Amino acid sequence: MAHIGSSVQGQHSVSRVREALLARYRGLEHGFDAAFGSALNPLRHLGALGFLLFWLLAVSGIYLYAVLDTSASGAYASIDQMSREQWYLGGWLRSVHRYAADAFVLVTLAHLLREWLFGHCHGFRRFSWWTGVPLLVFMLISAEGGFWLNWDQLGQFSATATAELLDALPLFATPLTRNFLSNAAVSDRLFSLFVFVHIGVPLLLVFGLWFHIQRISRAAVFPPRALTLGTLAALVALALARPVLSQAPADLAVVPQLLAFDWLLLFMHPLMYATSAGTVWLLLAGSLGLLFVLPFLPRSVAPVPMAVVDPVNCNGCRRCFDDCPFAAVTMVPHPIRSTRQMAQVDADLCASCGICVGACPSSTPFRSARDLVTGIDMPSRPIGALRRQLQERLALHRGSNRIVVFGCDRGARVDAVAAPDVVALSLMCTGMLPPSFVEYALRDGAAAVLVSGCRAGGCEFRLGQRWAQARLAGAREPHLRAAVPREAVATAWADAGDEGALHGALNELRSRLRGAAAQALPARGTAHG
């Protein structure tokens, strides 16, 4: 019992640390929002930035490989000549290649940290987490191989240190360090191995990245255009300001003394010499093991039942299929209507976000049925219950300026704006809200409707805020009808802890209503006169 108690206490301690770090990270993210805007915040596009940097490495690497002499005697000279005599293309491109590699590692580690802080390693996200962990190994191996190909003193140091690290494992009959005992031991065959490591491993990385996003629909493999251009411009500017040049040529008869070291890509080498090869292997194995085990640790949030399809009300329109962020919906033959299809939900992929409910045309509250049953619904939060809540709460709140606030459980808390003139209703995700509910609320007595959700690019379920905004703007089906007065509808995209923005949007909406009422008074007086 004591062991169980200490285990539970340890889990709570880890959860508290994660929550504290998450709060700090949100503050940093919001600071970047102020500088870049939430839609272009690089911290909200870490995965897409990682893809961009990888493709940049691939494109720049193709040219660099084309001009590279892959022989042991010519590798250093060809790279050094390209850097100094072709500065207008090869030189800055080599520098961009190197800085993109550093940025790739930084962005990937930041992406890993963000996903862990937000708890994105459990449930339906386990597959993406597990397929992402091996990519760290491929990235590290490929980065080191690039230094070996250059074959300057830094490449010599890295290759020798890596050989010593591998020799600590009982895998090879002949020690790998024998390849680096003398200059004569470094052959063209060894350089062929270097080429395979630096080019072959990235091919595995391509396959791994493809596998990593298989269960994500509409995966962002490029950030927004402005962020893409800004990233490229920053790398080019850095390459021109501080070009990367080769260090002294490798000489195995000399031990390098002073090196311009890349601590980000080659951190393992000084760590090994400061401790031991066994310690490095233990740390690497322990870190990877911990990353693989994280999805098995208890979740701080209880799982929610998946979406359920009702064959009677599903007409096979495919909107839920198109809008699902995690490809959890597939289309199968309809069991009732032979000429149609029906949606089917994969329990292993369903995020229980309810975005599919907001996409379903049968989710409209204007249906005359007493109990609103839709084609696809969330058993724990059915859309019919939302209609009943809306009707009951509007009946309780009297007055001419009642405002309905539809919010998101993962965004700013709508209960924070509770007031006599406010009907606050929270959904699993703002994407769960059918636009027809906005019109229904206005017809049922509300003076205005405020729709709230996570900031752009910050939706817990990736696409909820995006689809909600597009539906309200009439750019995506089901859309808010053009007949609905747009001055009575407002949005407030605010993350958790950002309730101040929600208050501000609500007060602005109140002011708009008061202004409209004040303008209406003279008109009434004129009509009566």
Side-chain angles (χ1 to χ4, degrees):
M1 292 295 291
H3 174 71
I4 295 175
S6 61
S7 176
V8 172
Q9 186 178 3
Q11 292 168 6
H12 286 315
S13 298
V14 172
S15 180
R16 285 194 296 270
V17 170
R18 188 177 68 82
E19 291 298 328
L21 291 174
L22 178 58
R24 290 181 177 273
Y25 183 86
R26 282 191 185 276
L28 178 64
E29 205 168 61
H30 290 172
F32 272 65
D33 282 345
F36 298 95
S38 59
L40 296 178
N41 185 342
L43 296 182
R44 298 184 185 274
H45 299 280
L46 293 172
L49 280 172
F51 269 95
L52 170 66
L53 292 167
F54 176 78
W55 297 128
L56 180 59
L57 285 167
V59 171
S60 58
I62 290 174
Y63 176 80
L64 296 175
Y65 179 69
V67 301
L68 173 67
D69 183 341
T70 57
S71 67
S73 58
Y76 176 85
S78 65
I79 294 178
D80 188 59
Q81 180 181 12
M82 174 191 64
S83 301
R84 298 180 187 277
E85 298 183 11
Q86 295 184 23
W87 62 267
Y88 50 86
L89 179 61
W92 72 264
L93 195 61
R94 176 196 177 184
S95 299
V96 167
H97 188 77
R98 170 71 169 276
Y99 289 131
D102 288 322
F104 184 40
V105 172
L106 279 176
V107 165
T108 301
L109 294 178
H111 176 62
L112 176 72
L113 176 63
R114 186 183 193 276
E115 296 302 292
W116 174 71
L117 288 177
F118 280 85
H120 294 171
C121 59
H122 297 282
F124 64 95
R125 287 187 169 100
R126 283 180 181 173
F127 178 84
S128 296
W129 179 270
W130 279 330
T131 54
V133 172
L135 302 183
L136 300 173
V137 179
F138 296 154
M139 180 177 63
L140 182 62
I141 294 174
S142 178
E144 289 195 14
F147 290 97
W148 304 344
L149 277 179
N150 189 27
W151 205 234
D152 59 0
Q153 288 190 351
L154 183 58
Q156 170 191 333
F157 172 77
S158 176
T160 305
T162 302
E164 293 178 11
L165 184 63
L166 291 173
D167 283 342
L169 299 175
L171 298 177
F172 305 101
T174 303
L176 293 178
T177 48
R178 291 186 59 181
N179 291 311
F180 307 102
L181 293 177
S182 65
N183 290 320
V186 179
S187 63
D188 291 348
R189 181 177 298 179
L190 182 62
F191 259 75
S192 297
L193 175 63
F194 291 169
V195 170
F196 171 78
V197 169
H198 192 54
I199 297 178
V201 174
L203 294 177
L204 295 177
L205 193 57
V206 171
F207 176 75
L209 287 170
W210 173 81
F211 217 58
H212 182 56
I213 61 174
Q214 275 305 289
R215 295 193 178 187
I216 300 176
S217 59
R218 301 177 184 271
V221 295
F222 284 106
R225 179 178 298 178
L227 186 55
T228 298
L229 295 177
T231 302
L232 295 177
L235 291 172
V236 171
L238 186 59
L240 295 175
R242 294 183 61 87
V244 175
L245 297 174
S246 299
Q247 300 181 47
D251 185 354
L252 293 174
V254 177
V255 177
Q257 297 297 320
L258 295 176
L259 295 173
F261 203 73
D262 191 319
W263 292 90
L264 190 61
L265 301 180
L266 302 176
F267 69 93
M268 284 199 307
H269 303 330
L271 179 62
M272 181 187 71
Y273 289 122
T275 56
S276 66
T279 300
V280 171
W281 283 118
L282 185 62
L283 289 174
L284 288 175
S287 299
L288 291 174
L290 176 61
L291 292 176
F292 275 113
V293 167
L294 281 177
F296 291 106
L297 298 180
R299 302 178 62 180
S300 58
V301 179
V304 180
M306 70 174 191
V308 175
V309 177
D310 181 6
V312 176
N313 289 279
C314 178
N315 65 5
C317 68
R318 299 175 66 89
R319 289 181 186 171
C320 57
F321 171 81
D322 291 334
D323 284 8
C324 180
F326 299 100
V329 179
T330 54
M331 303 306 296
V332 297
H334 205 292
I336 300 176
R337 305 176 181 90
S338 59
T339 59
R340 291 184 175 271
Q341 291 183 311
M342 184 187 77
Q344 185 179 70
V345 180
D346 188 331
D348 292 333
L349 303 181
C350 183
S352 301
C353 60
I355 293 175
C356 53
V357 182
C360 185
S362 62
S363 295
T364 173
F366 288 106
R367 293 173 63 186
S368 58
R370 179 180 177 183
D371 294 323
L372 177 57
V373 180
T374 185
I376 188 167
D377 211 345
M378 300 302 302
S380 59
R381 306 270 286 275
I383 201 70
L386 179 64
R387 184 175 72 170
R388 287 193 301 272
Q389 283 182 310
L390 179 60
Q391 292 169 340
E392 294 168 359
R393 301 282 293 279
L394 279 173
L396 290 174
H397 287 68
R398 301 297 179 184
S400 59
N401 285 335
R402 289 172 293 177
I403 299 175
V404 174
V405 179
F406 292 108
C408 170
D409 291 347
R410 304 302 183 104
R413 295 182 298 105
V414 295
D415 59 359
V417 297
D421 63 335
V422 174
V423 174
L425 299 168
S426 188
L427 300 91
M428 294 175 170
C429 174
T430 303
M432 184 181 177
L433 179 69
S436 52
F437 267 77
V438 175
E439 182 178 1
Y440 187 81
L442 294 173
R443 288 195 186 185
D444 206 27
V449 174
L450 175 63
V451 179
S452 174
C454 301
R455 294 190 185 190
C459 177
E460 171 71 12
F461 304 107
R462 298 183 55 245
L463 302 176
Q465 184 272 343
R466 177 178 168 186
W467 291 161
Q469 189 174 38
R471 292 168 188 166
L472 293 175
R476 191 171 188 83
E477 295 295 339
H479 66 270
L480 184 63
R481 295 198 316 151
V484 177
R486 291 308 191 266
E487 64 274 9
V489 182
T491 56
W493 308 121
D495 289 338
D498 202 13
E499 283 71 25
L502 189 56
H503 274 286
L506 184 59
N507 290 333
E508 183 179 343
L509 190 54
R510 286 192 180 109
S511 298
R512 190 191 306 174
L513 291 176
R514 287 194 293 268
Q519 290 178 359
L521 286 176
R524 290 198 191 101
T526 303
H528 286 299

